Amino acid sequence: MKQFLCRICEQIRIHGIFGLILKLIGRIKSLANTIAVRLLLKECGANLRVLGPVYISGGKNISFGRDCFIGRNVVLDASNGVLYIGDNVEIRDGVRIYAKRIKIGSKTTLGESSMCIGSLKTGDNVWVARGCDLSNVTINDGAILGPYVSFISNNHDRNKDGSIKMSG
Protein backbone atom coordinates (compact mmCIF):
# COMPACT_ATOMS: atom_id res chain seq x y z
CA MET A 1 0.00 0.00 0.00
CA LYS A 2 2.86 2.35 0.85
CA GLN A 3 4.47 1.77 -2.57
CA PHE A 4 1.12 2.46 -4.29
CA LEU A 5 0.75 5.78 -2.42
CA CYS A 6 4.33 6.71 -3.25
CA ARG A 7 3.66 6.11 -6.96
CA ILE A 8 0.55 8.33 -6.81
CA CYS A 9 2.52 11.09 -5.05
CA GLU A 10 5.26 10.81 -7.69
CA GLN A 11 2.68 11.11 -10.50
CA ILE A 12 1.15 14.18 -8.83
CA ARG A 13 4.61 15.75 -8.53
CA ILE A 14 5.35 15.08 -12.22
CA HIS A 15 1.95 15.88 -13.80
CA GLY A 16 0.18 17.91 -11.15
CA ILE A 17 -3.22 16.97 -9.81
CA PHE A 18 -5.05 18.21 -12.92
CA GLY A 19 -2.80 16.17 -15.20
CA LEU A 20 -3.33 13.09 -13.06
CA ILE A 21 -7.13 13.55 -13.23
CA LEU A 22 -7.00 13.91 -17.05
CA LYS A 23 -4.85 10.80 -17.30
CA LEU A 24 -7.31 8.87 -15.13
CA ILE A 25 -10.28 10.03 -17.23
CA GLY A 26 -8.47 8.92 -20.41
CA ARG A 27 -7.84 5.47 -18.95
CA ILE A 28 -11.48 5.12 -17.88
CA LYS A 29 -12.68 6.11 -21.39
CA SER A 30 -10.27 3.62 -22.96
CA LEU A 31 -11.51 0.87 -20.63
CA ALA A 32 -15.15 1.67 -21.49
CA ASN A 33 -14.38 1.63 -25.24
CA THR A 34 -12.56 -1.69 -24.87
CA ILE A 35 -15.47 -3.29 -23.01
CA ALA A 36 -17.97 -2.02 -25.59
CA VAL A 37 -15.93 -3.37 -28.52
CA ARG A 38 -15.38 -6.74 -26.83
CA LEU A 39 -19.14 -7.16 -26.38
CA LEU A 40 -19.77 -6.62 -30.11
CA LEU A 41 -17.16 -9.07 -31.46
CA LYS A 42 -17.44 -12.79 -32.18
CA GLU A 43 -14.07 -13.51 -30.55
CA CYS A 44 -11.47 -11.39 -28.82
CA GLY A 45 -8.19 -12.49 -27.26
CA ALA A 46 -6.71 -11.09 -24.07
CA ASN A 47 -5.34 -7.56 -23.73
CA LEU A 48 -7.31 -5.69 -26.38
CA ARG A 49 -6.82 -1.92 -25.97
CA VAL A 50 -9.16 0.59 -27.60
CA LEU A 51 -8.45 4.34 -27.51
CA GLY A 52 -11.47 5.91 -29.10
CA PRO A 53 -14.77 5.23 -30.72
CA VAL A 54 -14.90 2.24 -33.05
CA TYR A 55 -17.76 1.91 -35.52
CA ILE A 56 -18.64 -1.77 -35.89
CA SER A 57 -21.04 -3.41 -38.30
CA GLY A 58 -21.35 -7.19 -38.45
CA GLY A 59 -19.43 -7.66 -35.20
CA LYS A 60 -20.41 -11.33 -34.97
CA ASN A 61 -18.25 -11.88 -38.07
CA ILE A 62 -15.16 -10.24 -36.53
CA SER A 63 -12.42 -12.03 -34.54
CA PHE A 64 -9.40 -10.49 -32.84
CA GLY A 65 -6.30 -12.24 -31.53
CA ARG A 66 -4.35 -11.36 -28.37
CA ASP A 67 -2.60 -8.09 -27.51
CA CYS A 68 -4.23 -5.92 -30.18
CA PHE A 69 -4.61 -2.14 -30.27
CA ILE A 70 -7.35 -0.08 -31.95
CA GLY A 71 -7.01 3.70 -32.30
CA ARG A 72 -9.68 6.39 -32.61
CA ASN A 73 -12.47 6.61 -35.22
CA VAL A 74 -11.87 3.18 -36.70
CA VAL A 75 -14.51 1.51 -38.92
CA LEU A 76 -14.79 -2.30 -38.87
CA ASP A 77 -17.51 -3.52 -41.24
CA ALA A 78 -17.95 -7.27 -41.70
CA SER A 79 -21.69 -7.18 -42.32
CA ASN A 80 -21.13 -8.79 -45.75
CA GLY A 81 -18.19 -11.02 -44.90
CA VAL A 82 -15.66 -12.08 -42.26
CA LEU A 83 -12.76 -10.24 -40.64
CA TYR A 84 -9.97 -11.99 -38.76
CA ILE A 85 -7.28 -9.97 -36.98
CA GLY A 86 -4.22 -11.88 -35.72
CA ASP A 87 -2.19 -11.39 -32.52
CA ASN A 88 -0.30 -8.17 -31.77
CA VAL A 89 -2.02 -6.17 -34.52
CA GLU A 90 -2.11 -2.39 -34.33
CA ILE A 91 -4.97 -0.58 -36.08
CA ARG A 92 -4.27 3.13 -35.91
CA ASP A 93 -6.60 6.14 -35.99
CA GLY A 94 -9.04 6.48 -38.88
CA VAL A 95 -8.51 3.03 -40.41
CA ARG A 96 -11.52 1.74 -42.38
CA ILE A 97 -12.02 -1.97 -43.04
CA TYR A 98 -14.88 -3.22 -45.22
CA ALA A 99 -14.53 -7.00 -45.22
CA LYS A 100 -15.75 -9.55 -47.65
CA ARG A 101 -13.00 -11.89 -46.48
CA ILE A 102 -10.08 -10.18 -44.74
CA LYS A 103 -7.32 -11.80 -42.71
CA ILE A 104 -4.71 -9.55 -41.10
CA GLY A 105 -1.63 -11.51 -39.99
CA SER A 106 0.07 -11.25 -36.60
CA LYS A 107 2.37 -8.35 -35.72
CA THR A 108 0.89 -6.19 -38.49
CA THR A 109 0.37 -2.43 -38.31
CA LEU A 110 -2.30 -0.62 -40.30
CA GLY A 111 -1.32 3.06 -40.46
CA GLU A 112 -3.55 6.07 -39.94
CA SER A 113 -6.43 6.50 -42.41
CA SER A 114 -5.64 3.30 -44.32
CA MET A 115 -8.46 1.44 -46.02
CA CYS A 116 -8.84 -2.32 -46.52
CA ILE A 117 -11.67 -3.54 -48.73
CA GLY A 118 -13.01 -6.83 -50.05
CA SER A 119 -10.88 -9.97 -49.94
CA LEU A 120 -7.49 -9.18 -48.47
CA LYS A 121 -4.83 -11.28 -46.77
CA THR A 122 -1.66 -10.05 -45.13
CA GLY A 123 1.12 -12.20 -43.84
CA ASP A 124 2.81 -11.63 -40.49
CA ASN A 125 5.03 -8.64 -39.65
CA VAL A 126 3.52 -6.38 -42.31
CA TRP A 127 3.78 -2.61 -42.03
CA VAL A 128 1.13 -0.57 -43.85
CA ALA A 129 1.88 3.16 -43.60
CA ARG A 130 -0.70 5.95 -43.41
CA GLY A 131 -3.25 6.45 -46.14
CA CYS A 132 -2.80 3.14 -47.96
CA ASP A 133 -5.70 1.71 -49.97
CA LEU A 134 -5.77 -2.10 -50.25
CA SER A 135 -8.45 -4.02 -52.11
CA ASN A 136 -8.62 -7.70 -53.10
CA VAL A 137 -4.90 -8.46 -52.78
CA THR A 138 -2.49 -10.69 -50.85
CA ILE A 139 0.52 -9.16 -49.10
CA ASN A 140 3.36 -11.48 -48.06
CA ASP A 141 5.15 -11.72 -44.70
CA GLY A 142 7.41 -8.82 -43.80
CA ALA A 143 6.17 -6.42 -46.49
CA ILE A 144 6.52 -2.69 -45.87
CA LEU A 145 4.16 -0.33 -47.71
CA GLY A 146 5.03 3.36 -47.78
CA PRO A 147 2.50 6.16 -47.27
CA TYR A 148 -0.47 6.43 -49.65
CA VAL A 149 0.26 3.22 -51.59
CA SER A 150 -2.72 1.68 -53.39
CA PHE A 151 -3.08 -1.97 -54.35
CA ILE A 152 -6.43 -2.49 -56.03
CA SER A 153 -7.41 -5.49 -58.15
CA ASN A 154 -9.36 -5.19 -61.38
CA ASN A 155 -12.65 -5.60 -59.46
CA HIS A 156 -12.85 -2.25 -57.70
CA ASP A 157 -16.37 -0.81 -58.05
CA ARG A 158 -17.03 1.17 -54.87
CA ASN A 159 -19.80 2.97 -53.04
CA LYS A 160 -19.44 6.62 -51.98
CA ASP A 161 -18.09 5.59 -48.55
CA GLY A 162 -15.32 3.55 -50.22
CA SER A 163 -16.89 0.15 -49.56
CA ILE A 164 -17.14 -2.42 -52.34
CA LYS A 165 -20.38 -2.52 -54.34
CA MET A 166 -22.03 -5.87 -53.83
CA SER A 167 -23.42 -7.54 -56.92
CA GLY A 168 -26.96 -8.83 -57.11
Side-chain angles (χ1 to χ4, degrees):
M1 182 67 166
K2 185 177 177 183
Q3 288 178 332
F4 176 73
L5 292 174
C6 287
R7 281 193 292 176
I8 290 176
C9 290
E10 180 69 14
Q11 290 294 314
I12 291 172
R13 187 181 67 72
I14 293 170
H15 301 288
I17 192 74
F18 185 68
L20 187 62
I21 290 169
L22 287 176
K23 196 173 190 179
L24 181 61
I25 290 169
R27 295 235 174 149
I28 290 170
K29 283 175 60 177
S30 178
L31 178 62
N33 285 325
T34 301
I35 291 168
V37 167
R38 279 181 155 290
L39 291 173
L40 294 172
L41 301 177
K42 175 183 177 184
E43 286 182 79
C44 188
N47 302 320
L48 174 69
R49 186 167 154 236
V50 180
L51 276 191
V54 178
Y55 306 97
I56 296 176
S57 183
K60 296 304 174 194
N61 299 326
I62 301 173
S63 300
F64 269 80
R66 297 182 326 271
D67 303 315
C68 292
F69 169 83
I70 304 174
R72 298 170 195 85
N73 300 312
V74 169
V75 174
L76 302 175
D77 183 347
S79 56
N80 294 315
V82 292
L83 172 59
Y84 174 77
I85 308 289
D87 297 334
N88 299 298
V89 171
E90 184 175 343
I91 300 174
R92 295 194 176 169
D93 297 350
V95 169
R96 293 175 291 159
I97 300 175
Y98 301 98
K100 208 173 186 180
R101 182 163 199 76
I102 292 182
K103 182 179 182 200
I104 306 295
S106 296
K107 297 180 183 175
T108 292
T109 297
L110 299 176
E112 294 85 351
S113 301
S114 292
M115 186 161 42
C116 301
I117 298 175
S119 297
L120 171 74
K121 182 179 178 185
T122 73
D124 297 337
N125 300 302
V126 172
W127 176 270
V128 177
R130 76 173 50 242
C132 289
D133 187 350
L134 309 173
S135 181
N136 299 319
V137 294
T138 298
I139 299 169
N140 293 329
D141 291 350
I144 299 172
L145 305 181
Y148 306 103
V149 168
S150 293
F151 286 122
I152 302 171
S153 73
N154 62 353
N155 177 13
H156 56 272
D157 289 338
R158 294 190 179 182
N159 296 313
K160 288 182 182 180
D161 67 356
S163 62
I164 287 184
K165 287 185 180 180
M166 295 301 188
S167 59

